[in-house]
Amino acid sequence: MQIDANTMKTGLLGHPVGHSKSPEMLNAAYRREGLPFVYLAFDVAPGDLESAVTGLRVLGFKGWNVTIPHKVAIMDHLDDIEESARAIGAVNTVISEGGRLIGTNTDGAGYLRSLVSETGMDPVGQRVVLLGAGGAARAVGYALARAGVERITVANRTESRAEALASHLGRWTKTSGIGLSRVEDAIREASLLIQTTSVGMHPDSSACPVDPGCLHGELLVSDLVYHPRETRLLKEAHRRGARVHGGMGMLVHQGALAFQRWTGQTPPVATMWDALEESLKETES
């Protein structure tokens, strides 16, 4: 990749960002398509977010992704927020259009594309248990609610946060919010379990967010963690005859949607997937 004065700049704002695989994935996509773009990751402390946004604006960045802990706070520093991001309550992608910074959210749509393309599941009529009530849960819950699931039960360690997210999603489907002490009964009645927290992520890959005994063969278990690629939750689900869905696809498809908005071109999804997989193999070796 040749970088010169005409190179278009994109990137990632987060804190921390050292673990991110997005630079490998997006730069591989740019190379594959022969585009004069580069993707860089920037570690920005919460107190420096406004200055960082101003800097990227002045430097002429074409756009950037946003990750923890900035997905909500960045909304105060943009010129406009697209309706889907407003409904989710978080921004994960910024596009610069004519000097204006537009916030959108590709997490939910990226997750839905991954789920359908990798498992063939039709969201309509599914009974969903959503573990967690953070930004990822908001995006995934919104996408599934709009796609026609029958109901969503949000389960979180802090029950009031689960209830708040359930109330928010309740404008699109039936919902309830519960504490983790009641999650096992909900899982036994569910058809789709989605794990949106960091439990089971490297290096604590032996952790499991629920008692494996409540998993069953009529369930599809989806874990947004992608490092390791097969979490303990997925291993336990597989042992009990459940179908499983890992987190790599969501990362690829949300990045592909951002690529499309920044470049105006069809993203090379297979190339992005291969780059992510190769990067994870190097990390795990």
Side-chain angles (χ1 to χ4, degrees):
M1 180 186 297
Q2 180 178 338
I3 298 176
D4 57 29
N6 297 311
T7 300
M8 299 287 187
K9 300 172 288 293
T10 60
L12 171 70
L13 298 186
H15 182 66
V17 294
H19 66 286
S20 175
K21 303 300 180 184
S22 291
E24 290 93 332
M25 190 173 67
L26 269 300
N27 285 319
Y30 295 149
R31 288 193 298 270
R32 173 66 178 79
E33 298 303 303
L35 295 173
F37 278 70
V38 67
Y39 187 101
L40 304 166
F42 300 96
D43 192 326
V44 176
D48 296 326
L49 180 60
E50 182 176 6
S51 297
V53 172
T54 299
L56 297 186
R57 185 197 293 268
V58 171
L59 291 171
F61 270 63
K62 190 71 173 174
W64 60 89
N65 291 129
V66 186
T67 189
I68 295 171
H70 303 316
K71 289 187 178 185
V72 176
I74 199 167
M75 297 173 76
D76 292 333
H77 308 299
L78 304 177
D79 299 309
D80 195 12
I81 310 293
E82 292 185 352
E83 180 56 34
S84 61
R86 287 192 185 280
I88 292 168
V91 161
N92 86 317
T93 300
V94 176
I95 307 105
S96 179
E97 295 181 351
R100 290 174 55 78
L101 300 181
I102 314 300
T104 189
N105 195 306
T106 66
D107 280 336
Y111 174 79
L112 199 56
R113 286 191 181 188
S114 171
L115 180 72
V116 173
S117 64
E118 293 173 51
T119 72
M121 172 175 271
D122 183 353
V124 175
Q126 302 298 334
R127 302 176 307 282
V128 181
V129 171
L130 200 58
L131 296 179
R138 292 180 71 89
V140 169
Y142 170 79
L144 288 171
R146 296 299 300 268
V149 298
E150 179 180 318
R151 73 172 296 113
I152 297 175
T153 301
V154 183
N156 193 62
R157 181 172 54 186
T158 304
E159 188 168 352
S160 59
R161 293 192 65 198
E163 291 172 343
L165 178 53
S167 176
H168 175 73
L169 297 175
R171 70 187 75 176
W172 299 292
T173 191
K174 297 176 183 178
T175 61
S176 58
I178 61 174
L180 291 181
S181 62
R182 297 164 53 199
V183 74
E184 294 176 14
D185 288 339
I187 291 172
R188 291 187 180 98
E189 297 177 0
S191 58
L192 174 60
L193 170 64
I194 308 170
Q195 204 292 102
T196 74
T197 77
S198 61
V199 175
M201 183 183 294
H202 177 82
D204 191 15
S205 55
S206 64
C208 190
V210 298
D211 182 350
C214 66
L215 305 176
H216 55 86
E218 300 302 313
L219 196 61
L220 192 156
V221 178
S222 178
D223 197 332
L224 302 196
V225 171
Y226 61 85
H227 184 29
R229 284 172 287 177
E230 186 179 32
T231 61
R232 184 185 167 201
L233 174 64
L234 296 186
K235 290 177 181 177
E236 297 285 357
H238 185 73
R239 289 191 188 104
R240 289 161 176 80
R243 291 195 293 157
V244 298
H245 172 241
M248 283 180 58
M250 177 178 174
L251 181 63
V252 169
H253 284 285
Q254 64 81 26
L257 289 167
F259 174 100
Q260 189 168 12
R261 294 296 300 270
W262 296 330
T263 68
Q265 297 196 21
T266 301
V269 173
T271 296
M272 297 173 71
W273 187 284
D274 289 344
L276 176 58
E277 194 165 46
E278 185 62 30
S279 181
L280 288 172
K281 284 180 182 177
E282 292 176 1
T283 305
E284 292 167 358
S285 62

